Amino acid sequence: MANLQFKALRKSFGDMEILHGVDLEIQDGEFIVFVGPSGCGKSTLLRCIAGLEEITSGELLIGGVPMNDIPPSKRGIAMVFQSYALYPHMTVAENMAFGLKLAGHSKVEVADAVQKAAQILQIEALLDRRPKALSGGQRQRVAIGRAIVRKPGVFLFDEPLSNLDAGLRVQMRVELARLHADLRTTMVYVTHDQVEAMTLANRIVVLNQGRIEQVGAPLELYNAPINRFVAGFMGSPKMNFLPCTLVAAAPTGATVRLEDGTLVAVAVDATGQAVGAALILGIRPEHLEASRTGGEGRARTAVRVAEHLGDTVFLYVDSPGGAGQLTVKAQPEDPLHMGDEAHLCFPAQRCYLFGADDRTLPRIA
Amino acid sequence: MAIVIDKSQRWRVVAAHVFMIGLCALVIFPLLIVVAISLRPGNFATGSLIPETISLEHWRFALGIPTPGPDGQMITPDLPVLRWLWNSVKVATASATVALFLSTTAAYAFARMRFVGKKSALLGLTLMQMFPTILALIAIHAIFSRIGHAFPLLGIDSHWALVLAYSGGIALHVWTIKGFYETIPVEIEEAAIVDGATPWQAFWRVLLPMSLPILVVVFLLAFIGAIIEYPQASVLLRTQPNLTLAVGSKQFLYAQKYLWGDFAAAAILSGLPISAVFILAQRWMISGLTSGANKG
Ligand SMILES: Nc1ncnc2c1ncn2[C@@H]1O[C@H](COP(=O)(O)OP(=O)(O)OP(=O)(O)O)[C@@H](O)[C@H]1O
Ligand SMILES: [Mg+2]
């Protein structure tokens, strides 16, 4: 059991700085998820926690103890690698027992711990096999098993589910959630899967190019992203962005003009911006509405592609007056079809406005 | 492979077989000649491949079995061939073991650790070993005669000196093993380190077992190299009972008289330990030791 503290943590490879000062506190027992685009430094941050990379400057504390100069084996952590990294020449049981044996536990203790972990992960039948003879999902469980036998203070997971098929992924996700509920150990989990982040996390940390963009509970990030990056990153399919100009701003709401001239009312306090300023209007696909009939505040456009998924329909429509494309998540009853004319409606309460610096303007609840 | 083959391509398969059989014959033929020479009475290098009369005189000589001479007296062979063979095996085993130990650890440093001058050290090591050993013979002799003054065990005419000299030639082995290490994902060792292993334990208990096939290959190469090595052994070893088989066999070839028959028997003997080690080693040369470590 341990909490984690990062104080202005920086990491450079040579003269290339990858992490530009990370400040963060992770509570004991918390399930924290790092998300961010590929190459933003998620694995690097995790490896800094594990002690596999030296920290260039700043401080890392685990359980209140500075860890900068402590070797990995003494940090009380266990890590599940992005590639699993099982020991191919050992059986499943030996894989899981390796750490305990090194720590000098007796044979009986080791066998006991391995048996218990195998039970939790339902891999008792596989204990005598080599990793070569396991499926991807089974290997993944062995990798987790190897971590839990050691009863670490902190678990580190690096995209453990990224190579599993969709079905297995859901199953393992549920098992991980159950594992956390059982063990109540601090878990730091890296992923770029939206759903994993939203469902598993107590709090999500959004990283971008080696900086923390925002930290918060999943719904907090979804409902109140502090900038355009977080807004675009959280949620799938991603939020639609349209260029617009501010026409009127009042404490009760603002009006913007889209590129095709449509006036849209939004529940945003844009009084800090000058009338005529170029802003970005953001709206999630699940909130954008497309109908056959036009009207006040509706933008006319055409459906390029319609994807029918059974329970929903994704419509890809031209951005009104612009070059881009917007996504609409529509109901499957009486859907629009490819080539149909569509009139887009922007519910005022669902719209976001982003200023020139990409920060979210305050919304009116 | 059971790919369906076009009929018009069959002749290519036939041609390939003919070519390969020819190649095999080319390799095997000299060996057969040596066997024939060792079984033929007298010491003639030329003659038919299948001897008309078979004589074991050369083999008796090589194995040190007394033979009746022309005057009816039993003559004990004057050259200790079996002893030379034993010397060769001893030196080759010891030097291959030392070379293996040095090259696995050196290769680990070159493959996994970061230190100043890594590239130039590796390059320098290799460049220096590219010079033929002949060039260094004088130096080797001088060095070991000096060492011999301080430590007689490592001086001229000692097997340990030869082992030491052979163990220096590891640059190529280092390259080979380093190349193999680099195909093994670092994460497996990192996992061991997170699991609480020291770097040495990660090397010894995780990396080395996965590298078994390449270690066996390197051991074999070093062993063969030591068995057949001539120049250094000829400079470092002096007295007859101490010679290795490669050096000793030269004594069959006097300026006046070439004992081709005895030489052939000794040559075949020197091939035996190599074959034996090779057959033993084969069971460790298994592929796929690292599969299963990653997602699949
Ligand atoms: N050993 C290294 N030497 C130099 N640069 C490195 C090293 N390791 C990582 N980097 C760089 O650091 C950056 C962050 O890498 P990192 O592996 O942390 O990304 P990530 O967020 O885990 O990406 P992904 O989602 O693809 O796994 C990348 O630009 C990468 O090129
Ligand atoms: Mg990564």
Side-chain angles (χ1 to χ4, degrees), chain A residues 47 52 72-73 77 79 81-90 98-99 102 131-132 136 139 146 150 159-160 162-163, chain B residues 114 185 187-188 190-198 201 205-207 209-210 287-296:
Chain A
R47 292 169 59 85
L52 294 171
S73 53
I77 45 125
M79 182 158 173
F81 285 79
Q82 197 161 358
S83 60
Y84 301 166
L86 300 179
Y87 311 127
H89 56 295
M90 300 182 195
F98 187 70
L102 288 179
K132 192 165 46 172
R139 283 177 203 181
R146 193 168 64 177
R150 300 185 41 230
E159 303 197 33
S162 60
N163 274 28
Chain B
R114 265 176 283 177
E187 276 117 11
I188 303 179
E190 287 176 342
I193 287 182
V194 172
D195 258 352
T198 60
Q201 284 171 321
R205 301 186 59 165
V206 176
L207 184 60
M210 289 190 286
S287 60
L289 272 187
T290 53
S291 63
N294 291 349
K295 305 188 183 195

Side-chain angles (χ1 to χ4, degrees), chain B residues 4-284:
Chain B
V4 179
I5 298 170
D6 189 331
K7 271 220 171 85
S8 67
Q9 295 228 346
R10 293 251 161 103
W11 67 269
R12 290 193 197 207
V13 178
V14 173
H17 275 90
V18 170
F19 176 74
M20 283 189 286
I21 290 169
L23 210 63
C24 290
L26 208 64
V27 173
I28 293 174
F29 194 60
L31 185 68
L32 291 181
I33 291 181
V34 174
V35 172
I37 292 175
S38 78
L39 291 174
R40 198 184 291 154
N43 282 296
F44 307 103
T46 51
S48 70
L49 188 58
I50 301 161
E52 292 93 48
T53 47
I54 290 193
S55 149
L56 292 179
E57 57 180 296
H58 306 306
W59 281 100
R60 290 175 147 257
F61 182 86
L63 298 176
I65 303 166
T67 339
D71 52 356
Q73 270 205 308
M74 296 301 274
I75 305 169
T76 312
D78 54 350
L79 297 177
V81 177
L82 279 185
R83 185 175 174 126
W84 291 342
L85 181 65
W86 169 238
N87 288 345
S88 283
V89 170
K90 216 165 61 178
V91 169
T93 309
S95 65
T97 308
V98 176
L100 191 65
F101 177 76
L102 291 180
S103 49
T104 46
T105 42
Y108 179 80
F110 282 121
R112 293 287 197 252
M113 292 179 172
R114 265 176 283 177
F115 53 90
V116 186
K118 173 161 126 178
K119 234 181 180 167
S120 28
L122 195 57
L123 208 65
L125 199 62
T126 316
L127 271 182
M128 271 190 284
Q129 296 221 323
M130 283 185 179
F131 292 102
T133 24
I134 305 277
L135 293 182
L137 280 188
I138 304 172
I140 288 178
H141 184 270
I143 291 171
F144 280 100
S145 85
R146 265 289 173 82
I147 294 179
H149 289 307
F151 308 100
L153 193 65
L154 286 176
I156 299 286
D157 211 24
S158 145
H159 288 152
W160 292 111
L162 199 58
V163 168
L164 187 61
Y166 287 167
S167 306
I170 57 165
L172 272 180
H173 302 325
V174 171
W175 269 106
T176 314
I177 300 178
K178 170 179 169 279
F180 189 85
Y181 284 166
E182 280 167 354
T183 65
I184 299 178
V186 193
E187 276 117 11
I188 303 179
E189 287 150 74
E190 287 176 342
I193 287 182
V194 172
D195 258 352
T198 60
W200 171 258
Q201 284 171 321
F203 168 71
W204 181 251
R205 301 186 59 165
V206 176
L207 184 60
L208 271 195
M210 289 190 286
S211 315
L212 198 59
I214 202 72
L215 303 189
V216 172
V217 168
V218 165
F219 182 87
L220 257 180
L221 288 178
F223 187 85
I224 294 173
I227 290 269
I228 66 176
E229 204 276 344
Y230 180 82
Q232 297 185 54
S234 72
V235 171
L236 288 180
L237 301 178
R238 281 289 160 74
T239 52
Q240 208 185 52
N242 269 348
L243 300 183
T244 61
L245 194 54
V247 179
S249 308
K250 187 76 172 29
Q251 300 203 349
F252 295 122
L253 309 177
Y254 308 98
Q256 312 85 353
K257 191 169 93 175
Y258 276 23
L259 299 174
W260 284 119
D262 301 339
F263 185 77
I268 295 172
L269 274 185
S270 77
L272 289 184
I274 296 179
S275 311
V277 169
F278 190 81
I279 291 168
L280 277 181
Q282 256 183 346
R283 60 176 292 227
W284 305 110

Side-chain angles (χ1 to χ4, degrees), chain A residues 29-361:
Chain A
E30 198 171 17
F31 198 128
I32 200 117
V33 174
F34 290 152
V35 295
S38 193
C40 69
K42 306 181 295 287
S43 297
T44 307
L45 188 53
L46 214 57
R47 292 169 59 85
C48 285
I49 302 176
L52 294 171
E53 298 285 353
E54 274 178 6
I55 293 165
T56 309
S57 76
E59 219 180 351
L60 165 72
L61 296 94
I62 301 180
V65 184
M67 285 289 155
N68 291 36
D69 300 318
I70 309 271
S73 53
K74 305 238 162 67
R75 292 190 180 199
I77 45 125
M79 182 158 173
V80 177
F81 285 79
Q82 197 161 358
S83 60
Y84 301 166
L86 300 179
Y87 311 127
H89 56 295
M90 300 182 195
T91 63
V92 168
E94 287 166 342
N95 259 280
M96 297 205 287
F98 187 70
L100 293 181
K101 269 191 208 156
L102 288 179
H105 290 268
S106 75
K107 268 208 174 104
V108 184
E109 278 178 301
V110 172
D112 236 35
V114 168
Q115 198 60 39
K116 219 174 270 169
Q119 232 159 36
I120 294 177
L121 296 164
Q122 295 158 19
I123 48 174
E124 293 152 287
L126 308 174
L127 284 177
D128 292 326
R129 291 207 207 162
R130 295 275 161 98
K132 192 165 46 172
L134 300 180
S135 75
Q138 291 167 335
R139 283 177 203 181
Q140 204 263 342
R141 272 184 259 191
V142 176
I144 294 179
R146 193 168 64 177
I148 61 176
V149 288
R150 300 185 41 230
K151 299 211 171 65
V154 182
F155 276 109
L156 307 174
F157 292 96
D158 195 351
E159 303 197 33
L161 309 187
S162 60
N163 274 28
L164 302 183
D165 72 56
L168 204 51
R169 213 146 144 171
V170 174
Q171 185 193 339
M172 288 310 301
R173 205 173 69 211
V174 174
E175 284 180 27
L176 276 174
R178 204 197 59 205
L179 194 68
H180 181 244
D182 285 354
L183 300 176
R184 306 233 136 267
T185 310
T186 315
M187 292 192 175
V188 182
Y189 188 102
V190 166
T191 181
H192 38 226
D193 185 294
Q194 293 292 318
V195 186
E196 279 172 37
M198 296 297 283
T199 52
L200 289 174
N202 296 134
R203 280 193 304 158
I204 296 178
V205 177
V206 183
L207 282 170
N208 184 27
Q209 296 180 0
R211 286 195 179 79
I212 292 183
E213 296 280 352
Q214 192 173 359
V215 184
L219 284 181
E220 192 182 326
L221 296 196
Y222 178 83
N223 289 326
I226 64 161
N227 60 27
R228 190 174 151 191
F229 177 83
V230 178
F233 197 81
M234 298 306 300
S236 164
K238 67 188 280 233
M239 186 184 275
N240 296 303
F241 297 110
L242 303 95
C244 62
T245 44
L246 188 62
V247 174
T252 53
T255 308
V256 294
R257 178 183 285 116
L258 301 184
E259 278 175 310
D260 70 341
T262 314
L263 291 178
V264 176
V266 292
V268 171
D269 179 4
T271 46
Q273 304 284 323
V275 170
L279 302 176
I280 301 284
L281 173 70
I283 185 161
R284 296 194 183 277
E286 51 271 41
H287 300 142
L288 190 55
E289 291 164 15
S291 64
R292 290 204 162 78
T293 51
E296 179 83 3
R298 295 197 173 185
R300 215 185 88 182
T301 178
V303 178
R304 283 279 154 227
V305 178
E307 286 179 345
H308 296 264
L309 301 185
D311 59 336
T312 49
V313 181
F314 286 120
L315 304 173
Y316 299 96
V317 303
D318 288 331
S319 180
Q325 205 173 49
L326 306 181
T327 311
V328 181
K329 186 175 176 183
Q331 294 306 310
E333 296 86 30
D334 186 26
L336 293 168
H337 292 283
M338 208 154 126
D340 283 357
E341 193 180 88
H343 297 269
L344 299 179
C345 173
F346 302 82
Q349 294 296 332
R350 300 296 199 176
C351 288
Y352 298 78
L353 278 183
F354 303 96
D357 58 355
D358 280 343
R359 297 201 76 75
T360 311
L361 302 186

